[in-house]
Amino acid sequence: MPHTKRRRLVTTAVAVSLGATALAACGSSDDSKADSGPVSLTYWAWAPGMDKVVDLWNKGEGKKDQITVTVKKQASGDTLVTKILTAHKAKNGPDLVQAEYQALPTLVSNNAVADISKSVGDARSKFADGVWQQVTLGTDAVYAVPQDIGPMMFYYRADLFKKYGLKVPTTWDEFARTARALKKKAPDVDLTTFSANDSGLFAGLAQQAGAKWWTTSGDKWKVAINDAATQKVAKFWGGLVKEGAIDNQPMYTPAWNKGLDTGKQIAWVSAVWAPGTLTTAAPDTKGKWAMAPLPQWSADQDVTGSWGGSSTAVTTDSKHQEAAAKFAAWLNTNGDALNALAKESGIYPASTSAQLSGAFSNPPEYFSNQADFYTEAAKIAGTTAPSAWGPNVNVAYTTFNDAFGAAAKNKSDFVTALNTVQDATVADMKKQGFEVSQ
C-alpha cells in the first residue's frame, strides 16, 4: 500500500484528524445519492444467528424500503480483516462488515470503510461517549455503528469470599492485599491468574488506567504502548506474579476450568460476557458467583476498560452506502433487532436503552442470585474509558502474547516485556510506511 494512502487514517481519542482531505479520501455517505428502487446488500458477519436477525429487517423495514440484506458468515479477527482488505483491493468488497473496534483504524487507513456520519449521526445519543468514540476515532467522521461491547467487571465466588473472610476489593491496592491475605489463609488457593495469552484483557486494564497506545499529531503517529499508565498496570500484575500472590497460568485451559469449578481460583477479572464462559467452565458453581465493578486505581475514580466488542461498518466499495447505513443503524438501535441479537447472537448491546430492556430485564441464569446483574452492568458500561487503537493492533497483540507469555512463565520483569511490545509495534509501523514520532 502506498505511503500516502496509509497516512489517511484519522486519529483516536484525544488526537486531531489528518485534515479535511484525509477525511474526504476515506469516503463519505455524501458521495452516495439516495437509493431508489430495490437494493440488495451483502453483510459479512461472524456473530451466530445473524441471518435470523437480518430476516426481521427483510420482512419489515427492509421490505418497506425495498432494501434486502444477505448475510455471508465469516471468520472473525485478523482473518476477516485480511479478507476485507483483499476484497477492497480487488474492488469487490461487501456492502457491510462486522468490524471489531480495534480493527477500525486498519480498515480506515486502507480506505476500506466509509464515513457515514451524514446518515447515522443522530444515533450518537443511543451510546455512551466512550463507546461512540470507538467508531469515530476521535474525529467528526463516523466509520461504523456500535453493536456490542465488553465492559470489564470483577467476578468472585461470594461463598468462598465469606468463608475466607475476604472483602470485595474496590481499589487495585485492596485487590493485591486480598490476594496476599487469601494466600496466607489458603496457600493452595489463588484469587486469580494473570493470563498472558489474553492481550485484549491487558489492553482493557491499561485503558482503564488511562493508557493511549496510539495517537497522532499532524501526519505522524505516536506509539505509547509502554506509557506511564501501562507501565503501572504491568508492574502491578508482574509484581503479584513474581511474589506468587496469584497464579501465572493461562485461561481457557482444562486446568483453568477445573480451578474455577473446584474453588482453587475464586475470582476473575473479565467482562460482561463472562456468565456464558462460566456456564461452561464452572458448571458446578452456578449461583455461587457475584459481579462487582472493576477495582479502581484510586478510590475517587469510577471508570472501566473494555474487553471485546464490535460494530457494523459500511464499505467504500458499496454502491448503496446510504441504504447500508440505514440498515446498520436499525440493526444496532432498533429494540426488536437488539432483542434478537441478544437471543440469537448472545451479544451485550452497545445501545444504552437496550441494556435494561428485553433480554436484559432479568439476570443471566448463571447469576440468578444477583437480581441487579444487568442494572449494575449498565452502570458500569456507562463508565467505559475512551480507547486509542492504531493500524497494527495485530502486531502488538501477537508480540504481547510472546513477550508476556515468557515473562509470566519465568516470573520476570513485565515492563521489559512491555518495552518489547512497544519496539516491535513501532518497527512494524515504520516498515509499513507510517511516519512515527519518537
Side-chain angles (χ1 to χ4, degrees), residues 23-82:
L23 288 174
C26 289
S28 169
S29 55
D30 284 345
D31 298 333
S32 296
K33 295 181 180 179
D35 293 300
S36 59
V39 171
S40 295
L41 305 174
T42 301
Y43 179 27
W44 286 3
W46 72 82
M50 186 63 76
D51 54 337
K52 296 179 180 179
V53 182
V54 172
D55 279 345
L56 295 177
W57 165 268
N58 290 334
K59 294 175 181 178
E61 292 292 318
K63 184 176 182 180
K64 182 179 67 175
D65 295 336
Q66 294 185 296
I67 302 172
T68 302
V69 179
T70 300
V71 176
K72 291 192 175 181
K73 190 71 178 289
Q74 306 293 324
S76 60
D78 292 342
T79 301
L80 179 56
V81 173
T82 299

Side-chain angles (χ1 to χ4, degrees), residues 118-429:
K118 299 299 182 182
S119 300
V120 301
D122 58 350
R124 188 188 192 290
S125 62
K126 302 288 186 180
F127 306 96
D129 290 343
V131 173
W132 187 250
Q133 176 269 339
Q134 295 205 78
V135 297
T136 66
L137 309 185
T139 72
D140 292 331
V142 177
Y143 294 107
V145 180
Q147 184 164 104
D148 61 306
I149 55 174
M152 295 176 66
M153 303 163 183
F154 180 70
Y155 294 87
Y156 64 100
R157 281 282 299 272
D159 59 330
L160 296 183
F161 262 58
K162 183 177 180 180
K163 174 183 176 179
Y164 295 122
L166 305 175
K167 293 184 179 180
V168 179
T170 59
T171 67
W172 288 114
D173 282 343
E174 290 179 0
F175 179 95
R177 290 196 293 270
T178 301
R180 296 180 184 115
L182 176 62
K183 271 296 175 186
K184 289 183 178 179
K185 295 179 179 180
D188 293 332
V189 178
D190 292 298
L191 179 64
T192 192
T193 187
F194 178 83
S195 183
N197 62 356
D198 285 281
S199 46
L201 168 59
F202 185 82
L205 292 171
Q207 178 186 348
Q208 184 211 23
K212 296 289 186 294
W213 285 1
W214 285 270
T215 55
T216 63
S217 178
D219 60 1
K220 292 184 178 181
W221 280 93
K222 180 178 180 181
V223 183
I225 293 176
N226 60 350
D227 64 5
T230 311
Q231 286 195 34
K232 178 172 64 176
V233 175
K235 289 177 182 177
F236 176 82
W237 289 94
L240 291 177
V241 167
K242 187 173 183 178
E243 69 178 85
I246 61 174
D247 198 7
N248 62 345
Q249 299 304 307
M251 298 188 295
Y252 310 120
T253 64
W256 181 75
N257 291 346
K258 183 178 180 180
L260 292 177
D261 208 28
T262 61
K264 188 179 183 305
Q265 181 176 315
I266 67 171
W268 183 25
V269 175
S270 188
V272 70
W273 41 259
T277 301
L278 289 171
T279 299
T280 302
D284 296 335
T285 60
K286 176 183 176 181
K288 297 180 179 180
W289 290 79
M291 179 270 286
L294 206 62
Q296 303 293 310
W297 285 104
S298 63
D300 60 348
Q301 286 185 318
D302 186 14
V303 63
T304 194
S306 182
W307 184 7
S310 61
S311 63
T312 307
V314 175
T315 72
T316 52
D317 293 322
S318 176
K319 295 180 173 61
H320 307 287
Q321 290 181 18
E322 285 191 14
K326 185 172 186 178
F327 166 76
W330 173 88
L331 180 65
N332 300 306
T333 62
N334 178 272
D336 292 336
L338 290 166
N339 283 334
L341 280 171
K343 177 182 178 182
E344 303 294 344
S345 304
I347 73 152
Y348 182 73
S351 169
T352 54
S353 62
Q355 292 167 3
L356 293 174
S357 63
F360 304 99
S361 299
N362 298 307
E365 185 179 354
Y366 193 90
F367 282 80
S368 57
N369 59 305
Q370 190 171 358
D372 66 347
F373 183 95
Y374 281 124
T375 302
E376 290 302 304
K379 292 178 182 177
I380 295 169
T383 69
T384 302
S387 63
W389 302 114
N392 63 341
V393 173
N394 60 324
V395 172
Y397 276 15
T398 299
T399 309
F400 173 92
N401 291 346
D402 294 338
F404 275 79
K409 180 180 179 180
N410 301 328
K411 297 186 177 182
S412 57
D413 185 42
F414 275 25
V415 173
T416 299
L418 188 64
N419 290 335
T420 298
V421 180
Q422 166 77 12
D423 293 343
T425 305
V426 171
D428 176 74
M429 289 187 69

